[in-house]
Each structure stands twice: as structure tokens, then as C-alpha cells.
Amino acid sequence: QVQLVESGGGLVQAGGSLRLSCAVSGSIITAYAVGWYRQRPGKQREWVATINKDGNTNYADFVQGRFTISRENVKKTWYLQINSLKPEDTAVYYCALWRPTVYWGQGIQVTVSS
């Protein structure tokens, strides 16, 4: 059974940084793309970033250079470094694994105070 578990969220002041992690069990990640989504209050879930098996990355336009996605295949873990946090980054962040069936983490809250 494939399970994804996020960690690293919490409450942070605007301008601060966080690193989210997603660890998977029941699957390797070497051959697959992984990524992050988020759901802001009252909004639909939106794509944030993806990193493919070759390490190529793509980001949503709103990231504006503040987010960095990375992966450690041996640890079966990927990360989202978020810098210069803004209150509008407040959301539940979800990690995703495409096999190509998509698997989701349970979500982790990030709250940015102004």
C-alpha cells in the first residue's frame, strides 16, 4: 500500500521560510514524477510544483522564484522549500506521486501570519 506523509508545516511569520517534506512508503520514487499542490481557504486545490524522475522542475507562475522543489530518491522523500512566505501562501499543502496513478498525502497546514 502506497502512503505519503507530509511534514514540516506550521505557523510562520510573513517573510519567513519553511521546508515541507513528503516521505513515501510502499513504493519507490526513482522512476516517477513527484510534486506539490495546495488548497487555500475557500479555493480549489492548485498545482504548485513538479519534479520529474530526471530532476527537471516546473513551477506555477505564482511561485515567482520563492519555492524550490527537490527530491532524494534513496530516502524516498521530496521537499518543497518555501522562502519569503506571504499570508496568501496560507494553505493546506499536499504532496503527490504520479505512477501514473496519482497518490496523495493527507495534507499539511501552512499558516503565514502578517
Side-chain angles (χ1 to χ4, degrees):
Q1 184 179 0
V2 178
Q3 290 188 319
L4 282 62
V5 178
E6 298 101 338
S7 60
L11 174 63
V12 64
Q13 288 188 332
S17 299
L18 280 176
R19 189 176 80 156
L20 305 181
S21 300
C22 183
V24 64
S25 60
S27 176
I28 62 168
I29 68 169
T30 309
Y32 309 115
V34 297
W36 293 91
Y37 282 69
R38 73 181 187 182
Q39 187 164 15
R40 295 182 291 164
K43 303 289 186 180
Q44 290 189 331
R45 192 176 298 189
E46 59 184 351
W47 170 70
V48 174
T50 305
I51 182 167
N52 71 9
K53 64 182 180 66
D54 299 318
N56 298 311
T57 59
N58 283 287
Y59 297 95
D61 289 342
F62 64 78
V63 165
Q64 299 176 331
R66 299 184 297 118
F67 295 18
T68 303
I69 188 171
S70 60
R71 59 192 291 163
E72 289 190 83
N73 291 335
V74 171
K75 293 184 177 180
K76 298 193 295 182
T77 300
W78 58 102
Y79 308 95
L80 187 68
Q81 176 72 38
I82 312 175
N83 298 325
S84 303
L85 277 155
K86 304 176 181 180
E88 51 264 42
D89 294 320
T90 293
V92 177
Y93 285 73
Y94 298 88
C95 59
L97 166 67
W98 289 274
R99 285 189 34 173
T101 299
V102 61
Y103 293 86
W104 296 98
Q106 80 285 358
I108 192 162
Q109 179 70 45
V110 171
T111 303
V112 184
S113 63
S114 57

